[in-house]
PDB file of all heavy atoms in Angstrom:
ATOM      1  N   GLN A  52     -16.776   5.938  14.456  1.00 98.00           N
ATOM      2  CA  GLN A  52     -17.558   5.397  15.563  1.00 98.00           C
ATOM      3  C   GLN A  52     -16.788   4.204  16.129  1.00 98.00           C
ATOM      4  O   GLN A  52     -16.478   3.265  15.397  1.00 98.00           O
ATOM      5  CB  GLN A  52     -18.933   4.922  15.086  1.00 98.00           C
ATOM      6  CG  GLN A  52     -19.777   4.359  16.230  1.00 98.00           C
ATOM      7  CD  GLN A  52     -20.883   3.440  15.745  1.00 98.00           C
ATOM      8  OE1 GLN A  52     -20.709   2.706  14.778  1.00 98.00           O
ATOM      9  NE2 GLN A  52     -22.013   3.479  16.415  1.00 98.00           N
ATOM     10  N   ASN A  85     -20.090   3.676  20.431  1.00 97.00           N
ATOM     11  CA  ASN A  85     -21.221   2.751  20.400  1.00 97.00           C
ATOM     12  C   ASN A  85     -21.774   2.628  21.835  1.00 97.00           C
ATOM     13  O   ASN A  85     -21.121   3.057  22.782  1.00 97.00           O
ATOM     14  CB  ASN A  85     -20.683   1.395  19.896  1.00 97.00           C
ATOM     15  CG  ASN A  85     -21.768   0.488  19.399  1.00 97.00           C
ATOM     16  OD1 ASN A  85     -22.685   0.928  18.716  1.00 97.00           O
ATOM     17  ND2 ASN A  85     -21.676  -0.791  19.728  1.00 97.00           N
ATOM     18  N   PRO A  86     -22.964   2.049  22.012  1.00 98.00           N
ATOM     19  CA  PRO A  86     -23.511   1.922  23.372  1.00 98.00           C
ATOM     20  C   PRO A  86     -22.566   1.251  24.380  1.00 98.00           C
ATOM     21  O   PRO A  86     -21.800   0.350  24.049  1.00 98.00           O
ATOM     22  CB  PRO A  86     -24.782   1.082  23.145  1.00 98.00           C
ATOM     23  CG  PRO A  86     -25.218   1.475  21.782  1.00 98.00           C
ATOM     24  CD  PRO A  86     -23.953   1.647  20.990  1.00 98.00           C
ATOM     25  N   ALA A  87     -22.683   1.747  25.617  1.00 98.00           N
ATOM     26  CA  ALA A  87     -21.911   1.220  26.749  1.00 98.00           C
ATOM     27  C   ALA A  87     -22.761   0.192  27.505  1.00 98.00           C
ATOM     28  O   ALA A  87     -23.918  -0.042  27.152  1.00 98.00           O
ATOM     29  CB  ALA A  87     -21.529   2.374  27.669  1.00 98.00           C
ATOM     30  N   THR A 124     -23.970   5.773  21.244  1.00 98.00           N
ATOM     31  CA  THR A 124     -25.196   5.428  20.515  1.00 98.00           C
ATOM     32  C   THR A 124     -24.916   4.696  19.214  1.00 98.00           C
ATOM     33  O   THR A 124     -23.857   4.880  18.595  1.00 98.00           O
ATOM     34  CB  THR A 124     -26.050   6.678  20.232  1.00 98.00           C
ATOM     35  OG1 THR A 124     -27.287   6.265  19.639  1.00 98.00           O
ATOM     36  CG2 THR A 124     -25.346   7.649  19.292  1.00 98.00           C
ATOM     37  N   CYS A 125     -25.909   3.890  18.793  1.00 98.00           N
ATOM     38  CA  CYS A 125     -25.834   3.234  17.482  1.00 98.00           C
ATOM     39  C   CYS A 125     -26.693   3.975  16.459  1.00 98.00           C
ATOM     40  O   CYS A 125     -26.796   3.525  15.323  1.00 98.00           O
ATOM     41  CB  CYS A 125     -26.266   1.777  17.599  1.00 98.00           C
ATOM     42  SG  CYS A 125     -27.885   1.581  18.378  1.00 98.00           S
ATOM     43  N   THR A 126     -27.340   5.093  16.862  1.00 98.00           N
ATOM     44  CA  THR A 126     -28.094   5.895  15.889  1.00 98.00           C
ATOM     45  C   THR A 126     -27.584   7.347  15.903  1.00 98.00           C
ATOM     46  O   THR A 126     -28.346   8.276  16.192  1.00 98.00           O
ATOM     47  CB  THR A 126     -29.615   5.861  16.174  1.00 98.00           C
ATOM     48  OG1 THR A 126     -29.846   6.262  17.528  1.00 98.00           O
ATOM     49  CG2 THR A 126     -30.193   4.481  15.942  1.00 98.00           C
ATOM     50  N   TYR A 128     -27.057   9.266  13.568  1.00 97.00           N
ATOM     51  CA  TYR A 128     -27.754  10.095  12.574  1.00 97.00           C
ATOM     52  C   TYR A 128     -29.050  10.691  13.132  1.00 97.00           C
ATOM     53  O   TYR A 128     -29.640  11.573  12.524  1.00 97.00           O
ATOM     54  CB  TYR A 128     -28.026   9.269  11.300  1.00 97.00           C
ATOM     55  CG  TYR A 128     -28.551   7.877  11.591  1.00 97.00           C
ATOM     56  CD1 TYR A 128     -29.908   7.643  11.785  1.00 97.00           C
ATOM     57  CD2 TYR A 128     -27.677   6.806  11.727  1.00 97.00           C
ATOM     58  CE1 TYR A 128     -30.384   6.379  12.085  1.00 97.00           C
ATOM     59  CE2 TYR A 128     -28.151   5.523  12.018  1.00 97.00           C
ATOM     60  CZ  TYR A 128     -29.505   5.328  12.201  1.00 97.00           C
ATOM     61  OH  TYR A 128     -29.971   4.072  12.512  1.00 97.00           O
ATOM     62  N   GLU A 144     -20.355  -0.026  14.450  1.00 97.00           N
ATOM     63  CA  GLU A 144     -21.550  -0.814  14.819  1.00 97.00           C
ATOM     64  C   GLU A 144     -22.327  -1.184  13.555  1.00 97.00           C
ATOM     65  O   GLU A 144     -22.595  -0.336  12.702  1.00 97.00           O
ATOM     66  CB  GLU A 144     -22.403  -0.012  15.809  1.00 97.00           C
ATOM     67  CG  GLU A 144     -23.469  -0.840  16.496  1.00 97.00           C
ATOM     68  CD  GLU A 144     -24.708  -1.018  15.646  1.00 97.00           C
ATOM     69  OE1 GLU A 144     -25.122  -0.043  14.982  1.00 97.00           O
ATOM     70  OE2 GLU A 144     -25.245  -2.134  15.621  1.00 97.00           O
ATOM     71  N   SER A 145     -22.724  -2.449  13.452  1.00 97.00           N
ATOM     72  CA  SER A 145     -23.200  -2.963  12.160  1.00 97.00           C
ATOM     73  C   SER A 145     -24.439  -2.252  11.633  1.00 97.00           C
ATOM     74  O   SER A 145     -24.549  -1.982  10.441  1.00 97.00           O
ATOM     75  CB  SER A 145     -23.448  -4.471  12.261  1.00 97.00           C
ATOM     76  OG  SER A 145     -24.484  -4.737  13.184  1.00 97.00           O
ATOM     77  N   SER A 146     -25.416  -1.932  12.500  1.00 98.00           N
ATOM     78  CA  SER A 146     -26.633  -1.268  11.987  1.00 98.00           C
ATOM     79  C   SER A 146     -26.316   0.152  11.534  1.00 98.00           C
ATOM     80  O   SER A 146     -26.845   0.631  10.523  1.00 98.00           O
ATOM     81  CB  SER A 146     -27.735  -1.247  13.052  1.00 98.00           C
ATOM     82  OG  SER A 146     -27.543  -0.209  13.984  1.00 98.00           O
ATOM     83  N   ALA A 147     -25.440   0.826  12.285  1.00 98.00           N
ATOM     84  CA  ALA A 147     -25.062   2.203  11.926  1.00 98.00           C
ATOM     85  C   ALA A 147     -24.299   2.220  10.607  1.00 98.00           C
ATOM     86  O   ALA A 147     -24.531   3.077   9.743  1.00 98.00           O
ATOM     87  CB  ALA A 147     -24.223   2.825  13.044  1.00 98.00           C
ATOM     88  N   LYS A 236     -33.926   2.127   9.929  1.00 98.00           N
ATOM     89  CA  LYS A 236     -32.871   1.775  10.895  1.00 98.00           C
ATOM     90  C   LYS A 236     -33.081   0.350  11.407  1.00 98.00           C
ATOM     91  O   LYS A 236     -32.122  -0.402  11.597  1.00 98.00           O
ATOM     92  CB  LYS A 236     -32.764   2.798  12.032  1.00 98.00           C
ATOM     93  CG  LYS A 236     -33.823   2.784  13.103  1.00 98.00           C
ATOM     94  CD  LYS A 236     -33.487   3.832  14.178  1.00 98.00           C
ATOM     95  CE  LYS A 236     -34.628   4.097  15.147  1.00 98.00           C
ATOM     96  NZ  LYS A 236     -34.991   3.006  16.021  1.00 98.00           N
ATOM     97  N   THR A 237     -34.348  -0.028  11.614  1.00 98.00           N
ATOM     98  CA  THR A 237     -34.641  -1.393  12.064  1.00 98.00           C
ATOM     99  C   THR A 237     -34.231  -2.409  10.995  1.00 98.00           C
ATOM    100  O   THR A 237     -33.622  -3.451  11.298  1.00 98.00           O
ATOM    101  CB  THR A 237     -36.154  -1.527  12.354  1.00 98.00           C
ATOM    102  OG1 THR A 237     -36.479  -0.581  13.371  1.00 98.00           O
ATOM    103  CG2 THR A 237     -36.521  -2.908  12.823  1.00 98.00           C
ATOM    104  N   SER A 239     -31.984  -1.946   8.634  1.00 98.00           N
ATOM    105  CA  SER A 239     -30.515  -1.943   8.530  1.00 98.00           C
ATOM    106  C   SER A 239     -29.907  -2.871   9.580  1.00 98.00           C
ATOM    107  O   SER A 239     -28.954  -3.614   9.299  1.00 98.00           O
ATOM    108  CB  SER A 239     -29.963  -0.522   8.720  1.00 98.00           C
ATOM    109  OG  SER A 239     -30.436   0.337   7.709  1.00 98.00           O
ATOM    110  N   ALA A 240     -30.453  -2.819  10.793  1.00 98.00           N
ATOM    111  CA  ALA A 240     -29.923  -3.665  11.873  1.00 98.00           C
ATOM    112  C   ALA A 240     -30.148  -5.142  11.567  1.00 98.00           C
ATOM    113  O   ALA A 240     -29.269  -5.987  11.756  1.00 98.00           O
ATOM    114  CB  ALA A 240     -30.600  -3.295  13.193  1.00 98.00           C
ATOM    115  N   SER A 241     -31.341  -5.430  11.060  1.00 98.00           N
ATOM    116  CA  SER A 241     -31.727  -6.825  10.873  1.00 98.00           C
ATOM    117  C   SER A 241     -30.991  -7.484   9.707  1.00 98.00           C
ATOM    118  O   SER A 241     -30.442  -8.584   9.830  1.00 98.00           O
ATOM    119  CB  SER A 241     -33.244  -6.855  10.642  1.00 98.00           C
ATOM    120  OG  SER A 241     -33.652  -8.120  10.287  1.00 98.00           O
ATOM    121  N   THR A 244     -27.368  -8.253  10.426  1.00 97.00           N
ATOM    122  CA  THR A 244     -27.209  -9.253  11.494  1.00 97.00           C
ATOM    123  C   THR A 244     -27.399 -10.660  10.951  1.00 97.00           C
ATOM    124  O   THR A 244     -26.701 -11.605  11.322  1.00 97.00           O
ATOM    125  CB  THR A 244     -28.245  -9.005  12.612  1.00 97.00           C
ATOM    126  OG1 THR A 244     -27.975  -7.739  13.199  1.00 97.00           O
ATOM    127  CG2 THR A 244     -28.190 -10.082  13.694  1.00 97.00           C
ATOM    128  N   SER A 295     -37.791  -5.009  25.599  1.00 98.00           N
ATOM    129  CA  SER A 295     -36.685  -4.137  25.207  1.00 98.00           C
ATOM    130  C   SER A 295     -37.026  -3.462  23.881  1.00 98.00           C
ATOM    131  O   SER A 295     -37.111  -4.114  22.843  1.00 98.00           O
ATOM    132  CB  SER A 295     -35.407  -4.978  25.062  1.00 98.00           C
ATOM    133  OG  SER A 295     -34.383  -4.164  24.531  1.00 98.00           O
ATOM    134  N   LEU A 296     -37.233  -2.151  23.924  1.00 98.00           N
ATOM    135  CA  LEU A 296     -37.488  -1.368  22.717  1.00 98.00           C
ATOM    136  C   LEU A 296     -36.287  -0.444  22.489  1.00 98.00           C
ATOM    137  O   LEU A 296     -35.497  -0.196  23.405  1.00 98.00           O
ATOM    138  CB  LEU A 296     -38.772  -0.554  22.861  1.00 98.00           C
ATOM    139  CG  LEU A 296     -40.034  -1.377  23.187  1.00 98.00           C
ATOM    140  CD1 LEU A 296     -41.248  -0.459  23.290  1.00 98.00           C
ATOM    141  CD2 LEU A 296     -40.272  -2.456  22.149  1.00 98.00           C
ATOM    142  N   GLY A 297     -36.179   0.073  21.272  1.00 98.00           N
ATOM    143  CA  GLY A 297     -35.049   0.957  20.985  1.00 98.00           C
ATOM    144  C   GLY A 297     -33.830   0.189  20.534  1.00 98.00           C
ATOM    145  O   GLY A 297     -32.720   0.402  21.015  1.00 98.00           O
ATOM    146  N   CYS A 298     -34.012  -0.709  19.579  1.00 98.00           N
ATOM    147  CA  CYS A 298     -32.894  -1.432  18.951  1.00 98.00           C
ATOM    148  C   CYS A 298     -33.131  -1.406  17.450  1.00 98.00           C
ATOM    149  O   CYS A 298     -34.031  -2.097  16.989  1.00 98.00           O
ATOM    150  CB  CYS A 298     -32.801  -2.859  19.449  1.00 98.00           C
ATOM    151  SG  CYS A 298     -31.588  -3.854  18.515  1.00 98.00           S
ATOM    152  N   PRO A 299     -32.359  -0.593  16.706  1.00 98.00           N
ATOM    153  CA  PRO A 299     -31.378   0.398  17.138  1.00 98.00           C
ATOM    154  C   PRO A 299     -32.005   1.493  18.034  1.00 98.00           C
ATOM    155  O   PRO A 299     -33.221   1.623  18.094  1.00 98.00           O
ATOM    156  CB  PRO A 299     -30.897   1.013  15.817  1.00 98.00           C
ATOM    157  CG  PRO A 299     -31.179  -0.027  14.783  1.00 98.00           C
ATOM    158  CD  PRO A 299     -32.418  -0.718  15.237  1.00 98.00           C
ATOM    159  N   HIS A 300     -31.137   2.264  18.684  1.00 98.00           N
ATOM    160  CA  HIS A 300     -31.562   3.280  19.642  1.00 98.00           C
ATOM    161  C   HIS A 300     -32.769   4.076  19.144  1.00 98.00           C
ATOM    162  O   HIS A 300     -32.815   4.516  17.990  1.00 98.00           O
ATOM    163  CB  HIS A 300     -30.396   4.224  19.932  1.00 98.00           C
ATOM    164  CG  HIS A 300     -29.552   3.763  21.084  1.00 98.00           C
ATOM    165  ND1 HIS A 300     -28.422   4.439  21.499  1.00 98.00           N
ATOM    166  CD2 HIS A 300     -29.690   2.712  21.928  1.00 98.00           C
ATOM    167  CE1 HIS A 300     -27.901   3.811  22.536  1.00 98.00           C
ATOM    168  NE2 HIS A 300     -28.633   2.760  22.814  1.00 98.00           N
ATOM    169  N   ALA A 301     -33.718   4.283  20.067  1.00 98.00           N
ATOM    170  CA  ALA A 301     -35.031   4.832  19.701  1.00 98.00           C
ATOM    171  C   ALA A 301     -34.970   6.297  19.270  1.00 98.00           C
ATOM    172  O   ALA A 301     -34.153   7.076  19.755  1.00 98.00           O
ATOM    173  CB  ALA A 301     -35.970   4.696  20.892  1.00 98.00           C
ATOM    174  N   SER A 327     -34.269   1.903  24.979  1.00 98.00           N
ATOM    175  CA  SER A 327     -32.878   2.371  24.864  1.00 98.00           C
ATOM    176  C   SER A 327     -32.783   3.487  23.832  1.00 98.00           C
ATOM    177  O   SER A 327     -33.445   3.439  22.791  1.00 98.00           O
ATOM    178  CB  SER A 327     -31.969   1.217  24.423  1.00 98.00           C
ATOM    179  OG  SER A 327     -32.025   0.177  25.362  1.00 98.00           O
ATOM    180  N   CYS A 328     -31.937   4.474  24.133  1.00 98.00           N
ATOM    181  CA  CYS A 328     -31.794   5.603  23.202  1.00 98.00           C
ATOM    182  C   CYS A 328     -30.492   6.343  23.495  1.00 98.00           C
ATOM    183  O   CYS A 328     -29.826   6.081  24.491  1.00 98.00           O
ATOM    184  CB  CYS A 328     -32.980   6.567  23.339  1.00 98.00           C
ATOM    185  SG  CYS A 328     -33.112   7.322  24.957  1.00 98.00           S
ATOM    186  N   ASP A 355     -27.644   5.560  26.573  1.00 98.00           N
ATOM    187  CA  ASP A 355     -26.238   5.114  26.452  1.00 98.00           C
ATOM    188  C   ASP A 355     -26.039   3.606  26.265  1.00 98.00           C
ATOM    189  O   ASP A 355     -24.921   3.160  26.035  1.00 98.00           O
ATOM    190  CB  ASP A 355     -25.383   5.500  27.692  1.00 98.00           C
ATOM    191  CG  ASP A 355     -25.595   6.906  28.163  1.00 98.00           C
ATOM    192  OD1 ASP A 355     -25.617   7.811  27.316  1.00 98.00           O
ATOM    193  OD2 ASP A 355     -25.747   7.103  29.387  1.00 98.00           O
ATOM    194  N   THR A 356     -27.071   2.796  26.448  1.00 98.00           N
ATOM    195  CA  THR A 356     -26.860   1.345  26.523  1.00 98.00           C
ATOM    196  C   THR A 356     -27.920   0.586  25.739  1.00 98.00           C
ATOM    197  O   THR A 356     -28.790   1.183  25.107  1.00 98.00           O
ATOM    198  CB  THR A 356     -26.848   0.887  28.002  1.00 98.00           C
ATOM    199  OG1 THR A 356     -26.420  -0.474  28.075  1.00 98.00           O
ATOM    200  CG2 THR A 356     -28.221   1.026  28.643  1.00 98.00           C
ATOM    201  N   CYS A 357     -27.857  -0.709  25.751  1.00 97.00           N
ATOM    202  CA  CYS A 357     -28.924  -1.542  25.181  1.00 97.00           C
ATOM    203  C   CYS A 357     -28.813  -2.957  25.733  1.00 97.00           C
ATOM    204  O   CYS A 357     -27.828  -3.298  26.395  1.00 97.00           O
ATOM    205  CB  CYS A 357     -28.852  -1.563  23.658  1.00 97.00           C
ATOM    206  SG  CYS A 357     -27.563  -2.635  22.989  1.00 97.00           S
ATOM    207  N   MET A 358     -29.798  -3.768  25.383  1.00 96.00           N
ATOM    208  CA  MET A 358     -29.861  -5.118  25.943  1.00 96.00           C
ATOM    209  C   MET A 358     -28.735  -6.025  25.453  1.00 96.00           C
ATOM    210  O   MET A 358     -28.463  -7.054  26.065  1.00 96.00           O
ATOM    211  CB  MET A 358     -31.240  -5.737  25.703  1.00 96.00           C
ATOM    212  CG  MET A 358     -31.537  -6.398  24.396  1.00 96.00           C
ATOM    213  SD  MET A 358     -30.983  -5.671  22.920  1.00 96.00           S
ATOM    214  CE  MET A 358     -32.468  -5.568  21.981  1.00 96.00           C
ATOM    215  N   ALA A 359     -28.078  -5.656  24.363  1.00 95.00           N
ATOM    216  CA  ALA A 359     -27.013  -6.531  23.843  1.00 95.00           C
ATOM    217  C   ALA A 359     -25.688  -6.306  24.560  1.00 95.00           C
ATOM    218  O   ALA A 359     -24.851  -7.211  24.593  1.00 95.00           O
ATOM    219  CB  ALA A 359     -26.820  -6.300  22.348  1.00 95.00           C
ATOM    220  N   VAL A 360     -25.459  -5.127  25.106  1.00 96.00           N
ATOM    221  CA  VAL A 360     -24.145  -4.823  25.697  1.00 96.00           C
ATOM    222  C   VAL A 360     -24.201  -4.628  27.215  1.00 96.00           C
ATOM    223  O   VAL A 360     -23.160  -4.502  27.863  1.00 96.00           O
ATOM    224  CB  VAL A 360     -23.503  -3.579  25.024  1.00 96.00           C
ATOM    225  CG1 VAL A 360     -23.117  -3.882  23.594  1.00 96.00           C
ATOM    226  CG2 VAL A 360     -24.405  -2.363  25.090  1.00 96.00           C
ATOM    227  N   ALA A 361     -25.411  -4.589  27.794  1.00 97.00           N
ATOM    228  CA  ALA A 361     -25.531  -4.504  29.261  1.00 97.00           C
ATOM    229  C   ALA A 361     -25.321  -5.909  29.849  1.00 97.00           C
ATOM    230  O   ALA A 361     -25.539  -6.904  29.167  1.00 97.00           O
ATOM    231  CB  ALA A 361     -26.912  -3.978  29.633  1.00 97.00           C
ATOM    232  N   SER A 374     -37.342  -5.744  17.513  1.00 97.00           N
ATOM    233  CA  SER A 374     -36.109  -5.823  16.725  1.00 97.00           C
ATOM    234  C   SER A 374     -35.647  -7.256  16.470  1.00 97.00           C
ATOM    235  O   SER A 374     -35.396  -8.023  17.410  1.00 97.00           O
ATOM    236  CB  SER A 374     -35.005  -5.072  17.488  1.00 97.00           C
ATOM    237  OG  SER A 374     -33.757  -5.330  16.910  1.00 97.00           O
ATOM    238  N   LYS A 376     -32.732  -7.912  15.253  1.00 97.00           N
ATOM    239  CA  LYS A 376     -31.363  -7.945  15.771  1.00 97.00           C
ATOM    240  C   LYS A 376     -31.389  -8.185  17.285  1.00 97.00           C
ATOM    241  O   LYS A 376     -30.564  -8.924  17.828  1.00 97.00           O
ATOM    242  CB  LYS A 376     -30.634  -6.626  15.464  1.00 97.00           C
ATOM    243  CG  LYS A 376     -29.229  -6.606  16.060  1.00 97.00           C
ATOM    244  CD  LYS A 376     -28.420  -5.382  15.726  1.00 97.00           C
ATOM    245  CE  LYS A 376     -27.052  -5.485  16.395  1.00 97.00           C
ATOM    246  NZ  LYS A 376     -26.178  -4.346  16.131  1.00 97.00           N
ATOM    247  N   GLY A 377     -32.354  -7.545  17.949  1.00 97.00           N
ATOM    248  CA  GLY A 377     -32.498  -7.739  19.396  1.00 97.00           C
ATOM    249  C   GLY A 377     -32.723  -9.209  19.728  1.00 97.00           C
ATOM    250  O   GLY A 377     -32.173  -9.727  20.702  1.00 97.00           O
ATOM    251  N   CYS A 378     -33.542  -9.894  18.923  1.00 97.00           N
ATOM    252  CA  CYS A 378     -33.784 -11.336  19.144  1.00 97.00           C
ATOM    253  C   CYS A 378     -32.467 -12.100  19.063  1.00 97.00           C
ATOM    254  O   CYS A 378     -32.180 -12.973  19.884  1.00 97.00           O
ATOM    255  CB  CYS A 378     -34.736 -11.883  18.085  1.00 97.00           C
ATOM    256  SG  CYS A 378     -36.418 -11.280  18.239  1.00 97.00           S
ATOM    257  N   TYR A 380     -29.365 -11.151  19.620  1.00 95.00           N
ATOM    258  CA  TYR A 380     -28.448 -10.958  20.752  1.00 95.00           C
ATOM    259  C   TYR A 380     -29.040 -11.453  22.065  1.00 95.00           C
ATOM    260  O   TYR A 380     -28.321 -12.015  22.893  1.00 95.00           O
ATOM    261  CB  TYR A 380     -28.014  -9.492  20.845  1.00 95.00           C
ATOM    262  CG  TYR A 380     -26.931  -9.217  19.831  1.00 95.00           C
ATOM    263  CD1 TYR A 380     -27.223  -8.680  18.581  1.00 95.00           C
ATOM    264  CD2 TYR A 380     -25.613  -9.562  20.093  1.00 95.00           C
ATOM    265  CE1 TYR A 380     -26.228  -8.484  17.622  1.00 95.00           C
ATOM    266  CE2 TYR A 380     -24.612  -9.378  19.147  1.00 95.00           C
ATOM    267  CZ  TYR A 380     -24.929  -8.838  17.919  1.00 95.00           C
ATOM    268  OH  TYR A 380     -23.950  -8.673  16.987  1.00 95.00           O
ATOM    269  N   CYS A 381     -30.339 -11.239  22.262  1.00 95.00           N
ATOM    270  CA  CYS A 381     -30.937 -11.710  23.525  1.00 95.00           C
ATOM    271  C   CYS A 381     -30.872 -13.227  23.603  1.00 95.00           C
ATOM    272  O   CYS A 381     -30.627 -13.800  24.665  1.00 95.00           O
ATOM    273  CB  CYS A 381     -32.386 -11.246  23.635  1.00 95.00           C
ATOM    274  SG  CYS A 381     -32.505  -9.520  24.133  1.00 95.00           S
TER     275      CYS A 381
HETATM  276 FE1  F3S B 528     -27.940  -0.728  18.777  1.00 51.81          FE
HETATM  277 FE2  F3S B 528     -27.698  -2.442  20.705  1.00 51.81          FE
HETATM  278 FE3  F3S B 528     -29.489  -2.861  18.852  1.00 51.81          FE
HETATM  279  S1  F3S B 528     -26.035  -1.472  19.643  1.00 51.81           S
HETATM  280  S2  F3S B 528     -28.597  -1.944  17.025  1.00 51.81           S
HETATM  281  S3  F3S B 528     -29.479  -1.158  20.329  1.00 51.81           S
HETATM  282  S4  F3S B 528     -28.205  -4.402  19.773  1.00 51.81           S
END
Side-chain angles (χ1 to χ4, degrees):
Q52 180 201 36
N85 198 42
T124 186
C125 53
T126 54
Y128 44 86
E144 193 278 320
S145 64
S146 81
K236 75 177 168 67
T237 300
S239 298
S241 172
T244 296
S295 173
L296 304 181
C298 172
H300 270 178
S327 300
C328 62
D355 315 315
T356 190
C357 77
M358 84 319 234
V360 292
S374 169
K376 177 176 179 180
C378 291
Y380 281 96
C381 282

